[in-house]
Amino acid sequence: MSKKRIHNYYDNVSERRVRVIPLGGLEQIGMNITVFEYGNSLIAVDCGLAFPDDDMPGVDLVVPDVTYLHENKDRFRAFFITHGHEDHIGALPYILKDLNVPVYGTRLTMAIISGKLEEHGMLESVTCRTVSFGDVVNEGDFSVEYIRVNHSIPDSAMLAIGSPAGQILMTGDFKVDYSPVLGEPIDLQRIGELGKKGVLAVLSDSTNATRPGSTPTERSLREILDSHFSIYKGRRILIATFASNVGRVQQIIDSAVRVGRKVIIEGRSMVTVTNLARELGYLDIPDSALLSVDEMGNYPEEDTVILMTGSQGEGMAALSRVASGRHSKIHITENDVVIFSSTPIPGNEKAVSKVINDITIMGATVINRATHVSGHACEEDLKLIYTLARPKYVIPVHGEFRQRHAAAEIARTLGYDEDRVFLMNSGDILSLSENDAYYDGAVQHGGIMVDGLGVGDVGNIVIRDRQTLSSEGILIVAMTIDRNSGEVLAGPDIVSRGFVYVREAEALIGEATEVVRGTVEEAIEAAGVDWTRIKSDVREALGAFLWKKIKRSPLILPIIMEVEI
Amino acid sequence: MSKKRIHNYYDNVSERRVRVIPLGGLEQIGMNITVFEYGNSLIAVDCGLAFPDDDMPGVDLVVPDVTYLHENKDRFRAFFITHGHEDHIGALPYILKDLNVPVYGTRLTMAIISGKLEEHGMLESVTCRTVSFGDVVNEGDFSVEYIRVNHSIPDSAMLAIGSPAGQILMTGDFKVDYSPVLGEPIDLQRIGELGKKGVLAVLSDSTNATRPGSTPTERSLREILDSHFSIYKGRRILIATFASNVGRVQQIIDSAVRVGRKVIIEGRSMVTVTNLARELGYLDIPDSALLSVDEMGNYPEEDTVILMTGSQGEGMAALSRVASGRHSKIHITENDVVIFSSTPIPGNEKAVSKVINDITIMGATVINRATHVSGHACEEDLKLIYTLARPKYVIPVHGEFRQRHAAAEIARTLGYDEDRVFLMNSGDILSLSENDAYYDGAVQHGGIMVDGLGVGDVGNIVIRDRQTLSSEGILIVAMTIDRNSGEVLAGPDIVSRGFVYVREAEALIGEATEVVRGTVEEAIEAAGVDWTRIKSDVREALGAFLWKKIKRSPLILPIIMEVEI
């Protein structure tokens, strides 16, 4: 390619195209990762994990399929991370193992990522680069600027992703908070400035797009927290919230300090994140305000507040262990007030209800209303960002389809026609230029299941087997056959697991054994010792018998052992 | 016992005690059944089923353990049913099989029960007795009066359960509706009259006790439905609601008729209940208002409304089949408006979200707000009933503990001391008299799991196995051993299901086989052919190996076959 041609190429604005490829996070919540591609450069924003759905039994977590990045390894420059939540950083240790590129993020974000990499023994091998708001990072054809936003974790960023094709704003998860508890308000001026110069596209958080109005400021909880402490004077208070919501933690501690209560911090991630946030200066707690769980007993309980994990009813979290009597040091009494400073994430409603019921049974007062504000932008906030940035294209991301659809509707009320709003699917390639935008094929994408130490060794067949095993159980039919004569030397024995109580079903298993014996004899008589045939005949005959008898379809596994006498 | 003594006994009011024994429905929602016991008479109110929790894989439904009724078969007189919802009638066919007593209920309730009994081929063998509001049924020492209440199904009743110990009001599920769409308002006069005479106890629906204010009338939806039909003129409308909410169905059809739309009724239970309700005169639909699904194509779709099941995202219901493209006759287009006239029952939130997402992806408009009112009493409604009945004791039932606790708090604001409010557990015996009330032991209770045709043959061991199978899978280790020499003639072969992809794990299974082989040889060398020892050694060695290698704990099932050569 001659220099001339390159020059022409860059001169002709309409030919300058950037490609946006979300590899995950759209059909399935979590697992956020979006690839941007210009010429010889690829970068990815975020690298999150998803928690398994109910139909993935035994799976610990799900990480994105990054085959496309592997295929373009030579052009892949870096990960740019918007903030430190699991659905934006959790897959990094799994993905970086085979794709070692630099990782950029703000200070708290990088501190959390470093902690993760250390757990995986990878801290030395990964290039971690901490950036400040206002910094611009150049990687290949891309320049990435970090812009401050507000969210439910400090140091959250919007990215202005510049390339010769134009500026793309990726909002990350955000809210508009004019009076945040920690740090500064979202940098609306910079967004306006970029908008004035011209923004090609905005990829925006849609989580709260179905909600009218504006998201309340974090600071609005101050009065509510103070009133809890005032109303429940004389009683011990336990408050559950997200460990990473450092602003919330600060407010709770501030309220406690104002009324002279000591704070006990409990739950693994609450302790870890709080320590980290104190070290880095995000959290301001006088040492005198804190008590350890072990010191707790020496202090009047009505003068304490226990700040803990478990606001989502997670089985192993501190509050859940307290609620089920599995916590060795914290026991609920009628003098306790338990406050949920949270709302249940969809799917966690029943688990949270269970914790509330258990605590209520123990006699404590439970407050699960009005002590939480969201970290995501509502309808009017999205209008503000779209109006400030005034992008050519609007691409709602981060949300269920109905939420992204609502964001698209919001854009339409601002005058965006259908051809300027894109509701993408994971894997889609959207090609953008100042002149036009169109879908340009798709790339491999999806979720890779992680179970224990295995990444990707549990697939659809295994999951389907697990589903059958879980709802119907398994019947194993074992027998030993003489290889030469075809005589059955031992068995058939039927062993079951997860099927029925054996003592309830002795007669049934007896009859089933006769069915198998007859089937095997017939099969051998008809075709000799043909394993495949015997197995499939047994499966069919036994399956039909069980369905007829008790309307169940367990997994049937014939095992035939051959011996030579 | 002399006649004199009996006379004295009845004369001495303080010795007249009635026992209240909820056999289910308190810890686990659904499965409502409450036993009342006086002298030689036992009666039961309701006989519901529960749907299985997430931790009961493969279980179809759960019915109450009625051992206590079996133990007192001779004294057990009858079932009195409050209304026709599954959580109040669903277990009848299972329980009546071995406990054949008369069943009493109002007209629609008995029609629904008869349909169920017919499905189970039991209609001939059960005595079904239809009662009207105001009727008093005498069974043994009990007189049971049916009193009209409002709820989300017609013909719902409160029961005034009279015995020599006094009157107990069992509210059943209810709301206070001064202007119901079907039938009359709740019979507050009669409750007041009974209260004036003296009520011993009220057992009250607590479902909405955490909600302040009063439950809005069903009729308040008229304007909302009319406005949907007005706003979405020119588009086809699909509305999902509960089939048994006949008042809702009537209002939707009335709104449709007012704007000249034809109504298509779709979904098995919607068709069944609607036909039944029309036959019995609860539902008033002109024939000309209806279209069959097959006629639908001949009619302009914007002049139709499809009334259907699936408001809870149930996999096999009509709307779910439409949303996933599995419905043969109804296909969603951008011209459709889908209205949820319902709210998700706790636990169904994610399933409902999935349906909404799928329909939104198909281009339709989804409305899932403000088109529903509850069928259960809120705080002020409970105060009304407690104040009218002014019972000696308040016993909140029908609700999670936190909801029953809220009802207890409401009673306390009305001046009820702790010793007059009882938060019972299933199985508790509460002994009541005019003078005092106390717990008097407990009876066997619990849930019996129904899976396919098996009732009670799936128990805790089977469920625990299914849980392990579902999250970890199973490894079967098969081998054939010479009984005399102890020589391994075939195997060990390792077969797995739900564990890992075999092709991914060939090396692992290979190593595991060697571990087993070594373990078996050692065991035989040490102790001869001792099956129990070999099996437990194999389980232990293989379990340790797999945990070390991949941090998983599948179920390990050694199968040893012996042959004699």
Side-chain angles (χ1 to χ4, degrees):
Chain A
M1 196 185 281
S2 73
K3 208 172 172 189
K4 181 102 191 315
R5 253 188 93 193
I6 292 177
H7 187 256
N8 277 348
Y9 177 74
Y10 278 111
D11 244 10
N12 185 347
V13 174
S14 72
E15 281 184 21
R16 295 183 191 163
R17 308 198 69 89
V18 59
R19 307 197 330 156
V20 179
I21 312 169
L23 287 181
L26 297 181
E27 291 76 19
Q28 190 177 30
I29 296 308
M31 221 172 75
N32 293 288
I33 175 170
T34 309
V35 174
F36 294 83
E37 192 176 349
Y38 183 91
N40 259 327
S41 307
L42 262 79
I43 60 170
V45 173
D46 291 334
C47 188
L49 59 75
F51 292 101
D53 280 340
D54 292 342
D55 60 358
M56 299 180 193
V59 174
D60 298 325
L61 47 95
V62 186
V63 298
D65 179 343
V66 293
T67 302
Y68 186 69
L69 294 178
H70 281 281
E71 288 168 357
N72 294 282
K73 213 165 180 166
D74 298 341
R75 302 194 291 145
F76 180 41
R77 310 289 177 137
F79 277 110
F80 291 89
I81 307 299
T82 59
H83 65 286
H85 279 154
E86 284 293 336
D87 57 336
H88 292 260
I89 65 166
L92 275 175
Y94 301 90
I95 303 303
L96 289 172
K97 268 189 185 112
D98 307 310
L99 267 178
N100 200 342
V101 295
V103 180
Y104 293 92
T106 54
R107 202 161 64 107
L108 182 64
T109 307
M110 292 316 294
I112 296 172
I113 291 172
S114 299
K116 279 190 173 291
L117 293 175
E118 197 166 6
E119 275 177 31
H120 283 78
M122 295 169 63
L123 192 53
E124 301 301 309
S125 59
V126 176
T127 308
C128 289
R129 299 215 170 115
T130 300
V131 296
S132 303
F133 292 115
D135 285 358
V136 179
V137 177
N138 291 296
E139 280 285 0
D141 285 325
F142 287 103
S143 65
V144 178
E145 177 180 345
Y146 271 73
I147 300 170
R148 181 188 293 280
V149 296
N150 304 117
H151 186 43
S152 48
I153 184 170
D155 263 10
S156 292
M158 176 183 294
L159 305 183
I161 301 165
S163 70
Q167 284 281 359
I168 296 179
L169 287 187
M170 175 100 190
T171 67
D173 292 5
F174 83 104
K175 72 186 279 187
V176 174
D177 196 336
Y178 300 117
S179 55
V181 170
L182 300 179
E184 301 294 313
I186 175 172
D187 190 353
L188 297 174
Q189 294 175 331
R190 180 60 182 148
I191 301 169
E193 192 175 32
L194 286 168
K196 201 77 187 171
K197 289 180 188 160
V199 168
L200 185 63
V202 167
L203 279 74
S204 54
D205 175 7
S206 313
T207 309
N208 275 350
T210 58
R211 300 196 190 170
S214 303
T215 309
T217 171
E218 176 67 29
R219 206 175 283 267
S220 64
L221 292 180
R222 175 178 165 145
E223 285 180 21
I224 293 161
L225 288 165
D226 281 353
S227 92
H228 290 325
F229 281 108
S230 150
I231 292 169
Y232 297 107
K233 205 179 160 193
R235 297 175 69 178
R236 184 170 71 168
I237 294 178
L238 300 88
I239 305 185
T241 194
F242 298 99
S244 60
N245 196 334
V246 180
R248 184 72 45 83
V249 169
Q250 181 72 62
Q251 290 209 92
I252 292 168
I253 292 174
D254 288 349
S255 269
V257 167
R258 276 195 289 276
V259 295
R261 291 204 188 219
K262 299 280 187 192
V263 179
I264 295 116
I265 293 175
E266 178 54 16
R268 199 174 72 99
S269 68
M270 190 63 81
V271 171
T272 311
V273 178
T274 308
N275 285 342
L276 185 66
R278 281 187 87 190
E279 271 168 39
L280 298 179
Y282 292 90
L283 201 50
D284 180 19
I285 319 180
D287 282 329
S288 62
L290 295 178
L291 271 187
S292 74
V293 178
D294 296 318
E295 295 166 318
M296 194 171 66
N298 307 326
Y299 209 83
E301 64 169 26
E302 64 273 20
D303 294 335
T304 63
V305 54
I306 306 176
L307 183 58
M308 63 206 308
T309 54
S311 66
Q312 295 299 312
E314 314 93 314
M316 295 310 294
L319 184 59
S320 305
R321 284 184 286 124
V322 169
S324 60
R326 284 177 294 134
H327 198 290
S328 58
K329 289 168 183 158
I330 302 174
H331 306 281
I332 293 287
T333 73
E334 290 181 6
N335 197 42
D336 287 329
V337 178
V338 178
I339 299 171
F340 284 79
S341 184
S342 58
T343 44
I345 293 170
N348 294 347
E349 292 87 351
K350 279 185 95 169
V352 172
S353 273
K354 188 176 175 344
V355 171
I356 294 175
N357 282 322
D358 289 345
I359 293 169
T360 311
I361 289 170
M362 290 166 167
T365 301
V366 175
I367 295 165
N368 67 329
R369 284 198 200 168
T371 318
H372 182 65
V373 294
S374 173
H376 297 275
C378 290
E379 179 173 345
E380 297 303 316
D381 306 314
L382 287 173
K383 285 183 186 165
L384 171 61
I385 299 305
Y386 293 156
T387 303
L388 276 173
R390 207 66 203 166
K392 189 151 174 70
Y393 307 108
V394 169
I395 307 170
V397 293
H398 204 277
E400 296 179 29
F401 189 88
R402 63 197 177 91
Q403 294 157 341
R404 293 187 285 124
H405 183 264
E409 290 294 321
I410 290 168
R412 280 172 200 147
T413 66
L414 301 181
Y416 282 84
D417 295 336
E418 298 232 341
D419 59 350
R420 290 173 63 199
V421 181
F422 292 88
L423 289 173
M424 299 184 70
N425 294 314
S426 295
D428 281 351
I429 300 172
L430 182 63
S431 176
L432 299 174
S433 82
E434 275 298 331
N435 286 350
D436 58 10
Y438 51 80
Y439 285 111
D440 192 16
V443 307
Q444 182 174 331
H445 69 282
I448 293 177
M449 293 177 266
V450 179
D451 180 1
L453 297 186
V455 178
D457 65 350
V458 170
N460 292 336
I461 298 171
V462 173
I463 291 296
R464 211 164 51 224
D465 278 349
R466 285 186 183 175
Q467 286 164 353
T468 305
L469 288 168
S470 100
S471 62
E472 309 277 344
I474 185 169
L475 252 78
I476 297 127
V477 182
M479 67 194 95
T480 304
I481 292 180
D482 180 338
R483 188 174 304 161
N484 301 316
S485 69
E487 192 193 342
V488 176
L489 299 175
D493 292 343
I494 296 184
V495 184
S496 78
R497 282 295 182 273
F499 178 54
V500 291
Y501 267 152
V502 173
R503 66 181 162 87
E504 298 274 342
E506 255 175 49
L508 182 74
I509 298 289
E511 278 183 71
T513 309
E514 286 315 308
V515 168
V516 171
R517 199 187 304 280
T519 307
V520 172
E521 277 168 17
E522 275 172 37
I524 292 177
E525 205 161 297
V529 183
D530 174 350
W531 285 34
T532 315
R533 157 119 192 216
I534 297 174
K535 286 184 180 177
S536 86
D537 284 5
V538 164
R539 257 192 221 106
E540 200 174 305
L542 188 53
F545 169 79
L546 292 172
W547 180 255
K548 194 176 135 224
K549 278 288 190 178
I550 56 165
K551 295 278 178 288
R552 291 188 211 165
S553 305
L555 214 147
I556 296 172
L557 185 63
I559 296 182
I560 302 173
M561 314 216 69
E562 276 188 346
V563 297
E564 202 152 4
I565 302 185
Chain B
M1 198 183 282
S2 74
K3 209 174 169 184
K4 180 102 191 313
R5 252 190 93 192
I6 291 177
H7 187 255
N8 277 349
Y9 176 73
Y10 278 112
D11 246 8
N12 185 347
V13 174
S14 72
E15 283 184 19
R16 293 181 192 166
R17 307 197 70 88
V18 61
R19 306 196 331 155
V20 179
I21 313 168
L23 287 181
L26 297 181
E27 290 77 19
Q28 189 178 31
I29 296 309
M31 221 172 74
N32 294 287
I33 174 168
T34 310
V35 174
F36 294 85
E37 192 175 348
Y38 183 91
N40 259 326
S41 308
L42 264 77
I43 60 170
V45 173
D46 292 336
C47 188
L49 59 76
F51 293 101
D53 280 340
D54 292 344
D55 59 359
M56 299 180 196
V59 174
D60 297 324
L61 46 97
V62 186
V63 299
D65 179 342
V66 293
T67 302
Y68 187 69
L69 294 178
H70 281 282
E71 288 169 357
N72 295 282
K73 211 166 182 167
D74 298 342
R75 303 194 290 144
F76 181 40
R77 308 291 177 135
F79 277 110
F80 292 89
I81 307 298
T82 60
H83 66 286
H85 280 154
E86 285 293 336
D87 57 337
H88 292 260
I89 65 167
L92 275 174
Y94 300 90
I95 305 302
L96 288 172
K97 267 189 186 114
D98 307 311
L99 267 179
N100 199 344
V101 295
V103 180
Y104 294 91
T106 54
R107 202 161 64 107
L108 182 64
T109 307
M110 292 314 295
I112 295 171
I113 291 172
S114 300
K116 280 190 172 292
L117 294 175
E118 198 165 6
E119 275 177 32
H120 283 77
M122 295 170 63
L123 191 53
E124 302 301 310
S125 59
V126 176
T127 307
C128 290
R129 300 217 170 115
T130 301
V131 297
S132 302
F133 292 116
D135 285 358
V136 178
V137 177
N138 290 295
E139 281 283 359
D141 285 326
F142 287 103
S143 66
V144 178
E145 178 181 345
Y146 272 75
I147 299 169
R148 181 188 292 280
V149 296
N150 304 117
H151 186 42
S152 48
I153 184 170
D155 264 10
S156 291
M158 175 183 296
L159 305 182
I161 301 165
S163 71
Q167 285 280 0
I168 295 180
L169 287 187
M170 174 99 191
T171 67
D173 292 5
F174 82 103
K175 70 187 279 186
V176 174
D177 196 335
Y178 300 117
S179 55
V181 169
L182 299 179
E184 301 293 313
I186 175 173
D187 190 352
L188 297 174
Q189 294 174 331
R190 181 61 182 148
I191 301 169
E193 192 175 30
L194 287 167
K196 200 78 188 170
K197 288 180 187 161
V199 167
L200 185 64
V202 167
L203 279 74
S204 54
D205 174 8
S206 312
T207 311
N208 275 350
T210 57
R211 299 197 190 169
S214 304
T215 309
T217 171
E218 175 66 30
R219 206 174 284 268
S220 64
L221 293 180
R222 174 177 165 147
E223 284 179 20
I224 292 161
L225 287 165
D226 281 353
S227 92
H228 290 326
F229 281 109
S230 148
I231 293 168
Y232 298 107
K233 206 179 160 195
R235 298 175 68 177
R236 184 170 72 168
I237 294 178
L238 299 88
I239 304 185
T241 192
F242 298 99
S244 61
N245 196 335
V246 180
R248 184 71 46 83
V249 169
Q250 181 73 60
Q251 289 209 93
I252 292 168
I253 293 174
D254 288 348
S255 269
V257 168
R258 276 197 288 278
V259 294
R261 291 205 189 218
K262 299 281 187 192
V263 178
I264 295 117
I265 293 175
E266 178 55 14
R268 198 175 73 100
S269 68
M270 190 63 81
V271 170
T272 310
V273 178
T274 308
N275 284 341
L276 185 66
R278 282 186 87 192
E279 271 168 39
L280 298 180
Y282 291 89
L283 201 50
D284 181 20
I285 319 179
D287 283 330
S288 62
L290 296 177
L291 271 188
S292 73
V293 178
D294 295 316
E295 294 166 320
M296 194 171 65
N298 307 324
Y299 208 83
E301 63 169 29
E302 64 273 21
D303 294 335
T304 63
V305 54
I306 306 176
L307 183 57
M308 63 207 309
T309 54
S311 65
Q312 295 299 313
E314 314 94 313
M316 296 307 295
L319 184 59
S320 304
R321 285 184 284 125
V322 169
S324 59
R326 285 177 294 135
H327 198 291
S328 57
K329 287 168 183 157
I330 301 174
H331 306 282
I332 294 286
T333 72
E334 292 181 4
N335 198 41
D336 287 329
V337 177
V338 178
I339 300 172
F340 284 79
S341 183
S342 59
T343 43
I345 293 169
N348 294 347
E349 292 86 353
K350 278 186 97 168
V352 172
S353 274
K354 186 174 176 346
V355 170
I356 294 174
N357 282 324
D358 289 345
I359 293 169
T360 310
I361 290 170
M362 290 168 169
T365 301
V366 176
I367 296 165
N368 67 329
R369 282 196 201 171
T371 317
H372 181 66
V373 294
S374 172
H376 296 276
C378 290
E379 179 173 345
E380 297 302 316
D381 305 315
L382 287 173
K383 286 183 185 165
L384 171 62
I385 298 305
Y386 294 155
T387 303
L388 276 174
R390 209 60 205 172
K392 189 149 175 66
Y393 307 108
V394 169
I395 308 170
V397 293
H398 204 278
E400 295 179 29
F401 189 87
R402 63 196 175 94
Q403 294 156 342
R404 293 187 286 126
H405 183 266
E409 290 294 321
I410 291 168
R412 280 172 200 149
T413 66
L414 300 181
Y416 282 84
D417 294 336
E418 297 232 342
D419 58 350
R420 290 172 64 198
V421 181
F422 292 89
L423 289 174
M424 300 183 69
N425 294 316
S426 296
D428 280 351
I429 300 172
L430 183 63
S431 175
L432 300 173
S433 82
E434 276 297 329
N435 287 350
D436 58 10
Y438 51 80
Y439 285 110
D440 192 16
V443 306
Q444 181 173 331
H445 70 282
I448 294 177
M449 292 178 267
V450 179
D451 179 2
L453 297 186
V455 179
D457 64 351
V458 170
N460 292 336
I461 298 172
V462 173
I463 290 296
R464 212 165 49 226
D465 278 349
R466 284 185 184 177
Q467 286 165 355
T468 306
L469 288 169
S470 99
S471 61
E472 308 278 344
I474 186 170
L475 251 78
I476 298 124
V477 183
M479 68 194 95
T480 304
I481 293 179
D482 182 337
R483 185 173 306 163
N484 301 315
S485 69
E487 191 193 342
V488 176
L489 299 175
D493 291 342
I494 296 183
V495 184
S496 78
R497 284 293 182 276
F499 178 56
V500 290
Y501 269 152
V502 174
R503 64 180 164 85
E504 298 273 345
E506 254 176 51
L508 180 75
I509 297 288
E511 279 183 71
T513 308
E514 287 314 308
V515 169
V516 172
R517 198 188 304 280
T519 308
V520 171
E521 277 168 15
E522 276 171 37
I524 292 176
E525 206 162 297
V529 183
D530 175 349
W531 285 33
T532 314
R533 157 121 194 216
I534 297 174
K535 285 184 180 179
S536 85
D537 285 5
V538 164
R539 259 193 220 103
E540 202 174 304
L542 187 52
F545 170 78
L546 292 172
W547 180 254
K548 194 177 134 223
K549 278 290 189 175
I550 57 166
K551 295 278 179 288
R552 291 188 211 166
S553 304
L555 213 148
I556 295 172
L557 185 63
I559 296 181
I560 302 172
M561 314 215 71
E562 275 187 347
V563 297
E564 201 152 6
I565 301 183

